[in-house]
Amino acid sequence: DPDLQLIVLRYIPIIAGVYLCRVAKRKPQPGFEAVLLALYAHETTSRNGQAVTMNVPDLSHPSLYHETKTTTKNNSTCLNLAIVSPSLEPHGTVRSTRRARIVGVALELYFSRISHMPASSKLEFCEFCVIWSGKIEPENKKVEQAEDDKDEDQCKAATEFGRIHLPWELVQPILRILGHCLVGPERNKELCEASMRAARSLYLRALHDIDAKGILATESLLKLGKMSIDGDYEQVDHTEIPKSNVISL
């Protein structure tokens, strides 16, 4: 039943978030692992264990739209195979070496249906991203008692759970979900602010870990989010030829 599948996927952020935070306590989590293994097995079966790939042009070859003086064969149509998601192997248990991949596949499955997910589910995911990164950034606002209680609860949650290990197998689907929240078709101000806060926390975490790939990805995501929030993403069309009566020499 597709509707039942959407209900299950809606709670993936909570399941993955609580599970990853509790793993650090080194206590058995059979209920969480059973759900994650079921989602992993479903995705493995539906994909037949194959990797998800895409073809991208090879920029080292000349373009079809540019003249070349050489008479050699134009290889601009040659494509490079990019792996979006590696191949899947069946697993019956969750080990420390497999945990990031199994949870990452669950997040990939969530991302494949993210357009049908409610905003509350995405907001929960953004909150867990901040906790996972271990960075709590207070918002710039007046200090009031209610806000103090909120910040205190956030700091308490972050202290209780702490940061987690963030390998690329886990970061990649996280950034895809945050990218949809930032520049997706939904123009939800609260969701955009939460996803920007999550992306900024992941960026600071990448700087702390000196992760070059993570720094490049999170910084690019922050720039896209800023363009989207400021409205430049919708107003500027860099492919449009400017019209002007003035000839510049």
Side-chain angles (χ1 to χ4, degrees):
D1 189 354
D3 295 334
L4 184 59
Q5 292 179 359
L6 293 178
I7 294 176
V8 175
L9 295 179
R10 181 255 179 271
Y11 293 100
I12 284 183
I14 296 180
I15 295 173
V18 176
Y19 170 71
L20 291 176
C21 292
R22 292 170 63 109
V23 163
K25 298 182 179 181
R26 299 184 180 277
K27 294 182 179 180
Q29 311 289 338
F32 292 98
E33 292 180 351
V35 175
L36 293 172
L37 284 172
L39 295 172
Y40 181 85
H42 169 75
E43 188 68 7
T44 303
T45 303
S46 61
R47 286 168 46 176
N48 196 21
Q50 300 297 323
V52 178
T53 60
M54 63 179 297
N55 292 324
V56 295
D58 188 355
L59 299 181
S60 63
H61 296 283
S63 171
L64 290 171
Y65 303 99
H66 293 79
E67 297 181 357
T68 57
K69 297 181 181 180
T70 59
T71 59
T72 57
K73 182 179 179 180
N74 193 322
N75 295 324
S76 60
T77 57
C78 295
L79 300 175
N80 288 337
L81 193 64
I83 298 178
V84 179
S85 178
S87 58
L88 302 177
E89 298 179 358
H91 297 308
T93 58
V94 179
R95 297 182 180 178
S96 58
T97 56
R98 306 171 182 170
R99 183 177 295 115
R101 181 59 181 149
I102 293 175
V103 177
V105 169
L107 294 179
E108 290 176 359
L109 187 59
Y110 178 82
F111 176 73
S112 65
R113 301 290 187 274
I114 194 170
S115 59
H116 302 283
M117 295 295 106
S120 58
S121 177
K122 302 173 187 178
L123 287 172
E124 294 166 353
F125 178 80
C126 294
E127 292 175 0
F128 275 111
C129 288
V130 176
I131 296 176
W132 291 341
S133 64
K135 300 290 184 182
I136 299 294
E137 293 185 343
E139 299 178 358
N140 295 328
K141 56 178 69 175
K142 296 182 179 180
V143 179
E144 299 177 356
Q145 184 63 31
E147 295 172 349
D148 290 341
D149 295 338
K150 181 179 178 180
D151 294 339
E152 184 179 355
D153 294 337
Q154 289 180 346
C155 293
K156 181 179 179 182
T159 304
E160 179 182 356
F161 296 111
R163 68 176 64 188
I164 65 172
H165 180 53
L166 291 174
W168 185 247
E169 295 173 326
L170 199 58
V171 173
Q172 192 174 21
I174 288 176
L175 295 181
R176 291 175 188 167
I177 297 173
L178 292 179
H180 174 87
C181 297
L182 283 172
V183 297
E186 297 182 8
R187 309 305 301 175
N188 189 321
K189 182 179 180 180
E190 183 181 4
L191 181 59
C192 289
E193 292 177 352
S195 53
M196 278 291 290
R197 185 164 56 252
R200 190 177 298 109
S201 298
L202 292 172
Y203 173 68
L204 295 176
R205 172 64 183 274
L207 287 176
H208 179 272
D209 296 344
I210 316 179
D211 182 6
K213 186 185 295 185
I215 293 173
L216 179 62
T218 52
E219 187 176 9
S220 301
L221 186 60
L222 285 173
K223 291 181 179 179
L224 287 175
K226 188 176 185 302
M227 293 170 59
S228 178
I229 292 177
D230 294 342
D232 296 338
Y233 183 78
E234 297 179 349
Q235 296 176 2
V236 178
D237 185 4
H238 296 283
T239 62
E240 183 179 357
I241 300 176
K243 297 180 181 180
S244 176
N245 296 327
V246 179
I247 300 177
S248 300
L249 300 178

